[in-house]
Amino acid sequence: MKPELTIQLMDTHAGGDVSRIVTGGIDPLPGDTVRAQMEYLRDDADGLRRLLLEEPHGIPEMSVDLLVPPTDPRAAAGYIIMEVMGYPIYSGSNTICTATAVLETGIVPKREGRQQFMLESPAGLVQIDAVVRDGVVEAITCEGLPSYIHTYRATIDVPSLGTVTYSVAYSGGFYALVDARELGFHLTLDEERSLAETAHAIVEAIQAERGFSHYTLGDVGPLPFLHFMGPVEHVADGYFRSRSATYVHPGVICRSTTGTGTSARLALMNYERRIQPGDRLETVSLRQTGFIGQFSGVEREGEYEVVRNHITGKSYVIARSDIVVNCDDPMVECDSLHHILSSRHAGTPTPES
């Protein structure tokens, strides 16, 4: 009998977006940084992403976060993010979910009250601030990537839509930012399919017309995200709220507003001089879930004003399971997967095992 190959998972969600945390069953990956290990997965072992985001085991609306040993001794764990669009170097909702899983698995022991630790993402070290009450992880605050406006109010002709005005922010990936009202949307749940179709057409048009380059990272691939912006309400002194919806190419409207989408909004509000350091923006999704972004400060990097920010949200554990990998199953493609599967069955390992 062939040995049974399993992958250990903890399914979580933040704001409705499911993050599948891979806690065991994968062999150590080559690479002296988490970024290098991500690149190995992307180039030589993409079967793990496809296995967990495609039928019969998953759906494209999910994300996957693989826990790996940190390469920086200051970090408690490393993690690699996988989505339908590929391998983003950072994600706010995935970081919130991964930090919760690190606490729930005991990699970082839970302590009542507020505690801090670091995770290592492909983008580098991330400071985590967790709040635990009665043994429950009530909130995670993580650093958003430094975010800036690359393009402000450009226009593009989109088939079936006409001329569309958009801005572009970088907040861990390049985001097209569009005014929902200008496109006839109120950002309600019944608009979800139309939002996805509209965003798909806009992103396809932008990708066909131009590319974007980060001021230090260079080419990070085609623009993969679009964020629909609702009106900004001034709720209280230093506190704003806006309905929002984030699209991931191809075809996915996120359940949450996303952390990187919220960071992109903060960058735009700073660019338009509508916010100042210390102010907060609550983004509210089609499903009435939200994240809170805080504008921490701004720095000048060449021609760009780069916004420092933090994102706060809550993650819920919704399942603990083993995925059985059967390479004889015609629905499972193991060619770019089997070489990283572990045959060890010693329980749920930690990044140190």
Side-chain angles (χ1 to χ4, degrees), residues 160-171:
S160 77
L161 295 177
T163 300
V164 173
T165 299
Y166 69 98
S167 299
V168 174
Y170 182 86
S171 56

Side-chain angles (χ1 to χ4, degrees), residues 18-72:
V18 174
S19 292
R20 315 194 85 171
I21 315 299
V22 181
T23 60
I26 303 299
D27 282 328
L29 303 175
D32 57 3
T33 65
V34 170
R35 178 70 173 269
Q37 292 174 35
M38 179 205 78
E39 292 168 351
Y40 174 81
L41 268 187
R42 181 193 65 199
D43 298 338
D44 296 293
D46 190 48
L48 178 64
R49 182 183 67 89
R50 297 202 309 272
L51 177 83
L52 296 176
L53 293 181
E54 296 176 1
E55 295 181 5
H57 293 298
I59 58 173
E61 286 80 3
M62 294 177 170
S63 298
V64 175
D65 299 284
L66 171 64
L67 291 179
V68 296
T71 62
D72 189 309

Side-chain angles (χ1 to χ4, degrees), residues 88-91 145-147 170-175 225 260:
I89 63 171
Y90 192 71
S91 162
L145 282 196
S147 305
Y170 182 86
S171 56
F174 280 107
Y175 268 85
F225 303 116
T260 47

Side-chain angles (χ1 to χ4, degrees), residues 159-335:
S160 77
L161 295 177
T163 300
V164 173
T165 299
Y166 69 98
S167 299
V168 174
Y170 182 86
S171 56
F174 280 107
Y175 268 85
L177 302 171
V178 298
D179 188 317
R181 291 177 301 178
E182 290 182 3
L183 293 165
F185 292 112
H186 302 283
L187 297 180
T188 54
L189 187 57
D190 61 300
E191 297 174 332
E192 188 168 44
R193 177 170 291 187
S194 294
L195 287 164
E197 292 170 351
T198 299
H200 186 278
I202 296 171
V203 171
E204 287 279 305
I206 293 173
Q207 287 186 353
E209 182 176 280
R210 60 183 300 196
F212 299 92
S213 180
H214 188 275
Y215 63 88
T216 58
L217 299 174
D219 182 8
V220 293
L223 179 144
F225 303 116
L226 183 142
H227 192 80
F228 292 96
M229 305 180 294
V232 176
E233 307 170 55
H234 194 173
V235 178
D237 187 30
Y239 195 94
F240 301 87
R241 181 181 294 127
S242 176
R243 298 191 64 80
S244 307
T246 291
Y247 166 85
V248 182
H249 200 61
V252 172
I253 292 290
C254 295
R255 272 54 176 169
S256 78
T257 55
T258 73
T260 47
T262 303
S263 297
R265 294 292 302 277
L266 290 172
L268 182 63
M269 291 180 72
N270 170 70
Y271 191 91
E272 295 177 336
R273 300 297 183 259
R274 302 173 68 185
I275 199 169
Q276 58 187 352
D279 287 354
R280 293 177 293 166
L281 170 69
E282 180 185 4
T283 51
V284 181
S285 75
L286 304 181
R287 289 167 171 77
Q288 308 305 314
T289 61
F291 293 138
I292 296 173
Q294 182 166 18
F295 175 22
S296 308
V298 65
E299 301 171 358
R300 172 66 65 172
E301 295 285 352
E303 62 182 297
Y304 301 114
E305 285 190 344
V306 180
V307 167
R308 301 282 176 177
N309 61 98
H310 292 80
I311 305 298
T312 299
K314 180 173 180 176
S315 173
Y316 298 84
V317 176
I318 55 178
R320 294 178 176 88
S321 63
D322 287 351
I323 290 286
V324 177
V325 183
N326 185 348
C327 292
D328 293 330
D329 185 338
M331 295 288 287
V332 176
E333 194 278 299
C334 282
D335 287 349

